Amino acid sequence: MTTARLAPRTALFLPASNPRAIEKARGLDADMVILDLEDAVRPDAKDAARAAAVAAAAEGFGDRLCAIRVNGIDAAEHGADVAAVAGSACDFVVLPKVESAADAAAVARATAKPLLAMIETARGVLAAADIAAAPGVGGLIAGVNDLRVSLGIPADAGREGLSLSLQTIVLAARASQTWAFDGVFNALGDPDGLAAECRYGRALGFDGKSLIHPNQIVVAAHAFGPTESEIADARALIEAATGGAERFRDRMIEAMHVEQARALLERFAREI
């Protein structure tokens, strides 16, 4: 499924049970707000969070996309969450711990919303291509914290052990022309570490990054947006191209490079 809009660079998770966070989000520059009904919400606050998420989606977030993350298919709250999302004004539904295309398609069908599937387990990674190709799926999100647990990777280890899984998620998304989002960065006081991880994610091919704090938005948006040199190069390439394979600035280019340059400029135009 190809989604109509340009992929968000930044997708901010926030607890649907926190009215102050929801109100603050209306003034933030995140491209997408994800109202969380799952991990960020206490068990005794699930019902109130569900109602708050529906109300927040109805009020909207300006030109920002709005998504609601429901509880997983095995959770007691799942059915009520799906029914609430189906009647809401949100743009997307986010489903955690997806391990099968059938589950993803069922939730997309029940909510009548494009679905962002979180890949958070070894089974999910192995099924990522089928999940991305399922009817109604608009993108994949790498759930790196749970994925570390599933793969047995120490919490303080680097990203080396995740590299194959992350590349598989991007590959699966690209094969089905869906979005791909890198996972969250937990160290809230380390902007340099966040920037480095964003650069790594962009180099892998991710469209943007999922975030857990407003202070991460500017860093991630900059990392996943085109640089001034990339913009200048794209413009010059398009102007110089005459069709077919040819030499440009000491490298060979052809039609696909022109398309890539145009896509980059389209993304830049969205930012200004």
Side-chain angles (χ1 to χ4, degrees):
M1 170 186 169
T2 302
T3 44
R5 306 191 196 197
L6 289 171
R9 298 157 302 166
T10 54
L12 177 67
F13 280 95
L14 56 88
S17 56
N18 187 332
R20 290 183 62 189
I22 290 174
E23 189 57 35
K24 182 178 180 179
R26 302 189 196 284
L28 299 176
D29 289 331
D31 297 326
M32 175 184 284
V33 172
I34 302 176
L35 303 167
D36 191 14
L37 304 180
E38 195 212 13
D39 288 345
V41 179
R42 301 191 319 268
D44 62 350
K46 296 284 188 179
D47 291 344
R50 185 185 307 117
V54 172
E59 186 173 346
F61 292 85
D63 59 356
R64 301 160 192 82
L65 294 171
C66 173
I68 297 177
R69 176 164 74 166
V70 300
N71 286 277
I73 58 171
D74 294 330
E77 301 86 3
H78 179 74
D81 289 350
V82 167
V85 170
S88 78
C90 72
D91 301 296
F92 291 84
V93 58
V94 178
L95 182 64
K97 298 180 179 64
V98 183
E99 294 186 335
S100 78
D103 288 341
V107 173
R109 184 171 57 250
T111 59
K113 308 284 185 184
L115 183 138
L116 302 178
M118 297 198 68
I119 307 300
E120 303 184 77
T121 66
R123 286 182 179 273
V125 172
L126 293 177
D130 290 338
I131 293 168
V137 172
L140 305 180
I141 301 175
V144 293
N145 289 332
D146 284 279
L147 192 52
R148 284 180 182 275
V149 175
S150 179
L151 299 178
I153 299 173
D156 60 351
R159 287 198 131 193
E160 294 83 359
L162 289 172
S163 60
L164 177 60
S165 296
L166 296 175
Q167 290 173 323
T168 299
I169 291 168
V170 172
L171 182 63
R174 293 294 171 258
S176 293
Q177 297 183 304
T178 61
W179 295 343
F181 299 100
D182 198 359
V184 300
F185 183 75
N186 295 323
L188 300 181
D190 184 9
D192 292 337
L194 171 62
E197 189 166 290
C198 287
R199 289 193 295 270
Y200 177 78
R202 189 184 179 201
L204 288 179
F206 282 105
D207 294 302
K209 192 160 185 70
S210 50
L211 310 173
I212 54 175
H213 195 279
N215 291 345
Q216 298 177 326
I217 295 172
V218 172
V219 173
H222 177 75
F224 279 95
T227 65
E228 291 184 6
S229 61
E230 287 176 317
I231 293 166
D233 187 76
R235 286 172 172 163
L237 187 153
I238 293 170
E239 184 176 350
T242 60
E246 55 192 313
R247 186 168 181 157
F248 170 74
R249 293 184 174 176
D250 208 30
R251 67 183 190 266
M252 294 302 297
I253 63 169
E254 52 186 289
M256 68 175 180
H257 298 105
V258 176
E259 293 175 6
Q260 187 177 34
R262 286 175 175 155
L264 183 143
L265 293 181
E266 184 181 4
R267 193 174 182 87
F268 167 69
R270 191 270 305 273
E271 297 171 10
I272 60 176

